[in-house]
Amino acid sequence: QLQLEESEGGSAQVGGSLRLTCAATEDITKNKVMGWFRQAPGKKREAVAYIYTHHGGSEYYDESVRGRFTISQDNAKNLIYLQMNNLRPEDSATYYCAAGIVASLDGMDYWGKGTLVTISS
């Protein structure tokens, strides 16, 4: 069964950058979609970005991160990245890597355990 593990998140100041890595134990192209989600305390888990592992790796971003975050894949290493730039306090959350068939919260079949990202002003 596919297992996903996120790299350690960490802390950054407003306007700073962080990069998250998700390592998969299997060929990521076996899953149609890979995604990053986040959940802040007291809030629902929300999608941040998706990447379709086939078809040239087309991407989708939530409006709140579009232009600041970039999702990418390394098929040879079975890795998914989330480059986060121009970070804001509202980006603070636990970030989860996921894999599935449909680009939606319910469409993800596999989840990592999450990694904490804290942004301070």
Side-chain angles (χ1 to χ4, degrees):
Q1 182 174 344
L2 175 65
Q3 295 183 341
L4 303 170
E5 183 173 1
E6 302 91 348
S7 60
E8 186 173 346
S11 301
Q13 292 188 325
V14 171
S17 298
L18 288 172
R19 188 175 82 158
L20 303 180
T21 302
C22 172
T25 56
E26 298 177 357
D27 182 356
I28 59 175
T29 62
K30 289 184 178 180
N31 297 276
K32 185 177 180 179
V33 182
M34 299 288 295
W36 285 98
F37 295 76
R38 67 185 180 188
Q39 187 169 17
K43 294 188 176 182
K44 295 181 179 180
R45 190 171 298 188
E46 61 180 9
V48 174
Y50 297 106
I51 187 165
Y52 290 83
T53 59
H54 301 272
H55 308 299
S58 56
E59 303 154 25
Y60 159 85
Y61 297 94
D62 183 78
E63 185 176 354
S64 64
V65 305
R66 192 172 298 129
R68 301 188 297 122
F69 289 13
T70 302
I71 187 171
S72 60
Q73 62 188 56
D74 185 333
N75 291 355
K77 297 181 179 180
N78 294 327
L79 297 174
I80 298 291
Y81 303 102
L82 185 68
Q83 177 67 43
M84 306 184 291
N85 298 329
N86 193 18
L87 286 161
R88 304 169 180 171
E90 55 265 37
D91 294 321
S92 296
T94 298
Y95 283 71
Y96 299 88
C97 175
I101 299 175
V102 178
S104 68
L105 184 65
D106 293 336
M108 297 292 109
D109 298 315
Y110 304 97
W111 291 88
K113 295 181 179 180
T115 188
L116 182 63
V117 170
T118 303
I119 309 303
S120 58
S121 56

